[in-house]
Amino acid sequence: MTSPTLHDVAKLAGVSFKTVSNVINDHPHVAEATRIKVEAAIKQLDYRPNRSARSLRSGRTGAIGLAVPELSLSYFAELADEVISYAEQRDTVVLIEQTGGDPERELEALRGSRRQMTDGLLFSPLGLGNDDADKLDVGFPLVLLGERIFDGPVDHITMENVDAARAATDHLLDAGCRRIAVIGAHTGEVIGSAGLRLSGYRAAIEARGIPYDERLVVDAGPWHRVNGAETMRTLLERDVDFDAVFALNDELALGALRVLNERGIRVPEQVAIIGFDDVDEAQYSLPSLTTVDPGRREIAHIAVDVLLERIGAGSDAPPKREVRSGFRIVQRESTPAVTR
Amino acid sequence: MTSPTLHDVAKLAGVSFKTVSNVINDHPHVAEATRIKVEAAIKQLDYRPNRSARSLRSGRTGAIGLAVPELSLSYFAELADEVISYAEQRDTVVLIEQTGGDPERELEALRGSRRQMTDGLLFSPLGLGNDDADKLDVGFPLVLLGERIFDGPVDHITMENVDAARAATDHLLDAGCRRIAVIGAHTGEVIGSAGLRLSGYRAAIEARGIPYDERLVVDAGPWHRVNGAETMRTLLERDVDFDAVFALNDELALGALRVLNERGIRVPEQVAIIGFDDVDEAQYSLPSLTTVDPGRREIAHIAVDVLLERIGAGSDAPPKREVRSGFRIVQRESTPAVTR
DNA sequence: AACGTCTATTACAACGTTGTAATGGATTGA
DNA sequence: TCAATCCATTACAACGTTGTAATAGACGTT
């Protein structure tokens, strides 16, 4: 019942166990005849090297961590999907941790005992912010994702949030919208997805001579659908005129869309709406949702590549990297076809 | 830079390294004074036992696998969320594998080298079926989820699919619907979610003297939103009268809902629709979706408990278990309030 | 005072692997 | 023919931990 070891294979092949090890590790000096004999024995016993022993000897686990707020959020589920699939191609397993966006649990992800089981971590914080940048100076390979921390001492993969938000806003402006509301802001935040995207919005409207009107900007807590709905209700109660909504992510947009539908407000004729993230669901809402594709797959692949590169590098570490993925606007039904 | 070991702690505390090990493992005979000294040293060095060494020695990894079709499907993302969260409470990490529902990759999940890294597997097959039941006779703790395989030699956690589908259909019947279409069938399938749910449907209508009409039953491939939409279009083209739709899962229902909306068919007035799974999104569609809550959290907790119990049991294994979670109908807007 | 009993600690081996050093045999050249 | 060289294989140690067996000391009993 117990798994075969190098010794079992060696006995069957009639060589020393170290020779079997040499065959497995493509050691330069192995006679062809020996190699064939050993490989036959390996196959016969269905031998697989014991990973714990390998890890103990080499100090590598072959696993990486992925710490995200929660998988129930489509963005992170889809990101995890991409990370797992790509990591598999690179012979790496992924250990997912959910932090709930709680700063304490995010710190725990950095320090906790789970770090013993991985060679490095892909970390997407939500509770921690730029003030916590120094806490990222950990003793293991770490790649930071997202927009919460920019001044960290580690590799960072993100997207051009400001430019993308500006492009999203321009998309609405090009369609003729002039009073564009924003839902999902986090007042006072400068960096972070909310802060960056809001500043992209502001840059876009001001470039066209439209003044920033804070009555059009509504805060929301977590970016869940339910808050999108709530925020849209708040906006409608403010009794301020608007002809478009820029939702800072798709979940908010989908929640808002539901309220607009409920109230009989036609989208995009009366109010256009654009989201951000291009989650799978954006294709299937009614109307389908125009949104920003942040290059999720590209981010996942780059993140895994950078992390594995750093793990492989050991002490002669390359300098810190800052990578931004591309983005594109995905035009669907929730905004008018561009007229300009 | 390298992590401290038992020897480092021992040197600092002035005892042998084995005494430190004894302290850590709550060995019965450790003098109070020694324990205090050692614990101080552990704290001072921030010592954590090396998991690879522990695994090598004990044969346990402290990790379990979770093999699902894909995380992009909300049901599985939400299941993974629950499994990870609960496993964490039980000091276990989860290693997710995506099979894509492909039989080959599902077999690979059972046999592959990743099994070396886990003490057991939670397995939710989609491509394999009852004919493959014998393939589940693997040499490690395995807990089967879902409705694809019932005759396997392993613990199985599932829900009362037939009863739940019957209840869902009754819910529509109670609301006065009489011509109830089904989307997402897999013709010829007997067990499997599709087969079981369809038979629950059939039992419900026939119990009320309504004959089974195969023109009302539409096959779909994978249960994605896009197939829900496609299937609904097919149904509408068949030019057969219907006043309700039982979608065999929520994704199908949401896709179908979109088509009904597009065509201007009012839900639930003209056509009622009920789904299955109670994914998060079901609350936020327009109209919100009546559905069957399959007790996902309960399934996740039971599955982890049963798997860990079996891992702990070793050779004196308990008999195979078959557990069914409870379900309930969640009434929302896509079906009329029950009138009967 | 000698003995056995119990407690606290230590010594040793083993888990399965890989790196380094040593060994033995074949091949080459003078 | 003998040394020098090269190739293939083997012996040994080590990674950090825990189980088992051995040891040393404290204490009570006779």
Side-chain angles (χ1 to χ4, degrees), chain B residues 113-172:
Chain B
S113 65
R114 275 174 171 63
R115 295 287 63 76
Q116 288 258 355
M117 305 187 70
T118 60
D119 299 330
L121 179 66
L122 297 179
F123 182 46
S124 183
L126 192 58
L128 297 181
N130 227 23
D131 292 348
D132 304 295
D134 55 324
K135 305 207 175 72
L136 299 183
D137 189 12
V138 292
F140 55 84
L142 176 63
V143 171
L144 183 64
L145 303 177
E147 291 77 51
R148 290 289 300 175
I149 305 178
F150 278 84
D151 302 338
V154 295
D155 296 319
H156 184 197
I157 321 294
T158 181
M159 66 163 306
E160 298 288 0
N161 274 271
V162 178
D163 289 355
R166 184 164 178 166
T169 310
D170 276 335
H171 191 78
L172 294 170

Side-chain angles (χ1 to χ4, degrees), chain A residues 59-60 63-64 90 92 118-122 136-144 152-157 301-323:
Chain A
R60 295 276 175 78
I64 60 176
R90 301 213 46 190
T92 302
T118 59
D119 299 330
L121 179 66
L122 298 179
L136 300 183
D137 190 11
V138 291
F140 55 84
L142 176 63
V143 170
L144 183 64
V154 296
D155 297 320
H156 183 196
I157 321 294
H301 290 201
I302 294 172
V304 171
D305 283 337
V306 168
L307 183 59
L308 290 182
E309 185 188 356
R310 194 158 288 276
I311 289 169
S315 53
D316 52 314
K320 167 189 161 181
R321 294 224 238 151
E322 186 83 27
V323 185

Side-chain angles (χ1 to χ4, degrees), chain B residues 200-243:
Chain B
Y201 158 83
R202 188 163 186 162
I205 58 168
E206 290 179 346
R208 306 241 186 159
I210 301 174
Y212 179 81
D213 179 353
E214 66 180 16
R215 289 173 309 160
L216 284 172
V217 177
V218 192
D219 270 45
W223 284 352
H224 288 173
R225 256 178 300 240
V226 62
N227 299 100
E230 190 50 47
T231 313
M232 180 51 73
R233 288 196 193 95
T234 303
L235 182 63
L236 290 168
E237 278 161 20
R238 281 194 188 168
D239 207 27
V240 49
D241 202 41
F242 62 94
D243 55 14

Side-chain angles (χ1 to χ4, degrees), chain A residues 16 18-19 22 29-31 34 56-57:
Chain A
S16 91
K18 187 62 226 279
T19 298
N22 289 339
H29 301 306
V30 176
T34 313
L56 177 58
R57 188 61 234 240

Side-chain angles (χ1 to χ4, degrees), chain A:
Chain A
M1 206 61 256
T2 160
S3 300
T5 73
L6 284 179
H7 293 85
D8 300 323
V9 178
K11 197 179 298 175
L12 183 63
V15 296
S16 91
F17 80 99
K18 187 62 226 279
T19 298
V20 179
S21 170
N22 289 339
V23 169
I24 289 167
N25 295 287
D26 285 326
H27 187 84
H29 301 306
V30 176
E32 192 54 22
T34 313
R35 151 164 281 120
I36 289 170
K37 230 175 11 180
V38 169
E39 279 172 350
I42 288 176
K43 194 157 193 180
Q44 185 177 335
L45 295 178
D46 190 28
Y47 165 79
R48 317 280 181 89
N50 178 306
R51 300 196 66 141
S52 300
R54 271 202 168 159
S55 296
L56 177 58
R57 188 61 234 240
S58 68
R60 295 276 175 78
T61 65
I64 60 176
L66 171 64
V68 293
E70 45 175 322
L71 286 182
S72 298
L73 291 172
S74 303
Y75 178 85
F76 294 110
E78 293 176 21
L79 178 69
D81 179 338
E82 297 288 353
V83 167
I84 292 173
S85 301
Y86 184 65
E88 186 178 351
Q89 288 178 37
R90 301 213 46 190
D91 281 323
T92 302
V93 302
V94 179
L95 216 139
I96 295 177
E97 290 166 74
Q98 301 185 105
T99 62
D102 174 46
E104 286 308 314
R105 292 176 63 194
E106 290 179 349
L107 288 175
E108 179 60 21
L110 291 175
R111 298 178 184 154
S113 65
R114 276 173 172 62
R115 295 286 65 75
Q116 288 257 355
M117 303 188 70
T118 59
D119 299 330
L121 179 66
L122 298 179
F123 183 46
S124 183
L126 192 58
L128 298 180
N130 228 24
D131 292 347
D132 304 296
D134 56 324
K135 304 207 173 73
L136 300 183
D137 190 11
V138 291
F140 55 84
L142 176 63
V143 170
L144 183 64
L145 303 177
E147 290 77 50
R148 290 290 300 175
I149 305 178
F150 278 84
D151 303 337
V154 296
D155 297 320
H156 183 196
I157 321 294
T158 180
M159 66 163 305
E160 299 287 0
N161 273 271
V162 178
D163 290 356
R166 184 165 177 163
T169 311
D170 277 335
H171 191 77
L172 294 171
L173 290 165
D174 289 348
C177 304
R178 282 301 171 270
R179 294 195 54 78
I180 304 174
V182 174
I183 64 176
H186 294 157
T187 298
E189 188 182 277
V190 178
I191 66 165
S193 310
L196 295 172
R197 292 176 193 176
L198 186 61
S199 73
Y201 158 83
R202 187 165 186 159
I205 58 169
E206 290 179 346
R208 307 242 186 157
I210 301 175
Y212 179 79
D213 180 351
E214 65 180 18
R215 290 173 308 160
L216 285 171
V217 177
V218 193
D219 270 45
W223 284 354
H224 287 173
R225 256 180 299 241
V226 63
N227 299 99
E230 191 51 46
T231 313
M232 180 52 72
R233 289 195 193 95
T234 304
L235 183 64
L236 290 168
E237 276 159 22
R238 280 193 189 169
D239 207 27
V240 49
D241 203 41
F242 61 94
D243 55 14
V245 174
F246 175 22
L248 297 187
N249 88 344
D250 284 351
E251 303 256 349
L252 291 166
L254 293 164
L257 197 53
R258 162 163 181 143
V259 172
L260 290 170
N261 281 331
E262 269 176 5
R263 304 285 171 100
I265 298 169
R266 279 173 298 124
V267 178
E269 292 80 2
Q270 293 176 270
V271 171
I273 181 164
I274 191 166
F276 204 113
D277 277 352
D278 194 25
V279 298
D280 202 37
E281 189 187 339
Q283 302 168 56
Y284 299 99
S285 60
L286 185 79
S288 60
L289 187 66
T290 296
T291 186
V292 179
D293 170 6
R296 186 167 34 249
R297 172 170 299 190
E298 186 187 353
I299 288 175
H301 290 201
I302 294 172
V304 171
D305 283 337
V306 168
L307 183 59
L308 290 182
E309 185 188 356
R310 194 158 288 276
I311 289 169
S315 53
D316 52 314
K320 167 189 161 181
R321 294 224 238 151
E322 186 83 27
V323 185
R324 315 244 167 154
S325 76
F327 67 88
R328 67 193 178 87
I329 304 291
V330 184
Q331 163 67 24
R332 295 206 182 92
E333 299 163 355
S334 70
T335 54
V338 177
T339 57
R340 193 171 89 164

Side-chain angles (χ1 to χ4, degrees), chain B residues 69-131:
Chain B
E70 45 176 323
L71 286 182
S72 298
L73 292 172
S74 304
Y75 178 85
F76 294 109
E78 294 175 22
L79 178 69
D81 179 338
E82 296 289 353
V83 167
I84 292 173
S85 301
Y86 183 65
E88 185 178 352
Q89 289 177 37
R90 303 214 44 190
D91 280 324
T92 302
V93 303
V94 178
L95 216 139
I96 295 178
E97 291 166 72
Q98 300 184 108
T99 62
D102 175 46
E104 286 307 315
R105 292 176 63 196
E106 290 180 348
L107 287 176
E108 179 60 22
L110 291 176
R111 299 178 184 152
S113 65
R114 275 174 171 63
R115 295 287 63 76
Q116 288 258 355
M117 305 187 70
T118 60
D119 299 330
L121 179 66
L122 297 179
F123 182 46
S124 183
L126 192 58
L128 297 181
N130 227 23
D131 292 348

